[in-house]
Amino acid sequence: MNLFSGLEKFGLEAKESMQMFEEGKRENTKREREKEEKAKEKIIPSETEFLLQKTVRCKVCDSVFQTKVVKTGRARRMQPDKDLRPRFEHIDTLKYDVISCPECGYTALTRDFDRITPTQARFVREQISSRFHKANEPETETYSYDTAIARCKLALLNAAVKRGKESEKAYACLKISWLCRGKAEAMGEGTPQEKAAKAACKKEEETFYQQAYEGFIKAISQEMFPIYGMDEGTMDYLLAYMSFHFRKYEMASKCLGNVLTSHSASRRLKDMALDLKEEIIALLKSMKR
């Protein structure tokens, strides 16, 4: 039966085979698919969207300047690395955890910048500011890994000059190591030159990781907890992982035991310690075969 019979008087004819609903259905399905595809498209925010300029006064030369910092609560935290290196979506916040005075060269990790005594300020003026000059580089909206690493090395030099605690120097070394890791992760290795550059970056990461490890070992024998903001459980876990990395399995096992028997360590930290313990046991078993 022709559904459109009787319309001939209007000069319109429709074939019996015309599929009235199917075409519309296909059209609607196509539109729905396009809608779904658009909804799936993620807009990746730029790094600048996570940053703001903060005004800071230098404790060494009294200059006022601006530095880039990460907006509080803007970046979404992700699962950290096994050695507690923090990770955030769309931005490496480690690049912005140093404050550096462009006038006198006084530089420190953010938490330490205002914690400087008059005697330490004098050391900085005498040994750093007297020779410091501004880097002849254009201002950029974000910090590259190379810039961030250089700033963190300057913080390490300041910590050494002002005779900072072992933990401060060790943590600066750890930050540099983590930054080198982030830089290596972002590097390509399609050409021999890229492979060589990535290998050099990983070598630098390892060098500063070793310095950080040795510094923390000294710190726990000289300083009271919390050590650089880390409670005993966190420090034990970090040292356990670093000991494991350097194949010091006896030290790693001792530190893990401290975490697992601690009454104050969090459940999450204990779970990480258990995972690491299992990894060490599996490795040692494989070595005996």
Side-chain angles (χ1 to χ4, degrees), residues 50-79:
F50 296 91
L51 304 175
L52 57 81
Q53 293 280 23
K54 180 182 178 182
T55 301
V56 178
R57 182 179 293 277
C58 179
K59 296 284 187 177
V60 172
C61 70
D62 207 39
S63 296
V64 176
F65 61 94
Q66 288 195 319
T67 188
K68 296 177 178 67
V69 297
V70 179
K71 295 176 182 176
T72 304
R74 178 68 175 83
R76 188 172 75 87
R77 185 179 287 274
M78 300 170 68
Q79 185 72 18

Side-chain angles (χ1 to χ4, degrees), residues 39-219:
K40 287 178 183 177
E41 288 178 4
K42 287 187 177 179
I43 300 173
I44 300 175
S46 66
E47 196 165 306
T48 55
E49 293 181 43
F50 296 91
L51 304 175
L52 57 81
Q53 293 280 23
K54 180 182 178 182
T55 301
V56 178
R57 182 179 293 277
C58 179
K59 296 284 187 177
V60 172
C61 70
D62 207 39
S63 296
V64 176
F65 61 94
Q66 288 195 319
T67 188
K68 296 177 178 67
V69 297
V70 179
K71 295 176 182 176
T72 304
R74 178 68 175 83
R76 188 172 75 87
R77 185 179 287 274
M78 300 170 68
Q79 185 72 18
D81 287 356
K82 289 183 179 180
D83 62 355
L84 305 180
R85 174 200 172 198
R87 284 184 179 270
F88 290 84
E89 193 174 27
H90 306 309
I91 186 172
D92 189 342
T93 59
L94 293 171
K95 294 195 293 182
Y96 303 94
D97 196 22
V98 168
I99 299 176
S100 182
C101 176
E103 299 300 327
C104 72
Y106 170 53
T107 307
L109 297 180
T110 302
R111 60 171 287 146
D112 294 317
F113 191 77
D114 289 335
R115 300 174 181 176
I116 183 169
T117 67
T119 300
Q120 289 176 324
R122 177 169 57 82
F123 290 154
V124 171
R125 282 193 293 270
E126 291 173 352
Q127 299 180 53
I128 291 180
S129 304
S130 60
R131 294 177 291 167
F132 179 79
H133 59 83
K134 290 183 180 181
N136 189 22
E137 296 177 350
E139 182 67 22
T140 56
E141 291 186 330
T142 61
Y143 293 144
S144 66
Y145 274 109
D146 286 337
T147 297
I149 290 169
R151 286 164 60 87
C152 208
K153 285 181 178 179
L154 191 52
L156 176 60
L157 176 62
N158 272 264
V161 163
K162 71 180 184 179
R163 302 173 191 175
K165 290 182 178 181
E166 297 296 342
S167 59
E168 181 183 352
K169 292 179 284 186
Y171 205 80
C173 288
L174 183 61
K175 290 265 188 178
I176 295 169
S177 177
W178 283 344
L179 285 167
C180 289
R181 187 185 305 173
K183 178 184 175 182
E185 289 170 351
M187 295 172 77
E189 48 185 338
T191 66
Q193 293 82 2
E194 287 177 336
K195 285 181 180 178
K198 191 165 187 173
C201 188
K202 286 183 172 292
K203 185 178 179 181
E204 187 172 27
E205 175 193 347
E206 193 71 6
T207 298
F208 280 99
Y209 209 60
Q210 178 73 50
Q211 292 295 311
Y213 180 67
E214 292 174 3
F216 283 132
I217 293 293
K218 289 180 183 177

Side-chain angles (χ1 to χ4, degrees), residues 216-284:
F216 283 132
I217 293 293
K218 289 180 183 177
I220 61 172
S221 67
Q222 299 174 8
E223 302 174 29
M224 299 288 290
F225 285 99
I227 292 177
Y228 211 78
M230 291 182 281
D231 59 26
E232 198 164 354
T234 303
M235 178 58 78
D236 275 326
Y237 174 81
L238 177 59
L239 282 176
Y241 186 85
M242 296 180 84
S243 297
F244 167 66
H245 176 81
F246 292 116
R247 301 179 182 179
K248 298 180 184 294
Y249 303 121
E250 189 175 336
M251 178 66 172
S253 297
K254 178 185 175 184
C255 292
L256 286 176
N258 292 340
V259 177
L260 294 172
T261 57
S262 170
H263 295 295
S264 58
S266 67
R267 183 69 260 168
R268 175 177 163 276
L269 196 65
K270 288 189 176 185
D271 287 342
M272 292 174 70
L274 281 170
D275 290 342
L276 182 55
K277 182 180 179 181
E278 289 175 6
E279 193 173 345
I280 293 173
I281 291 171
L283 179 64
L284 293 176

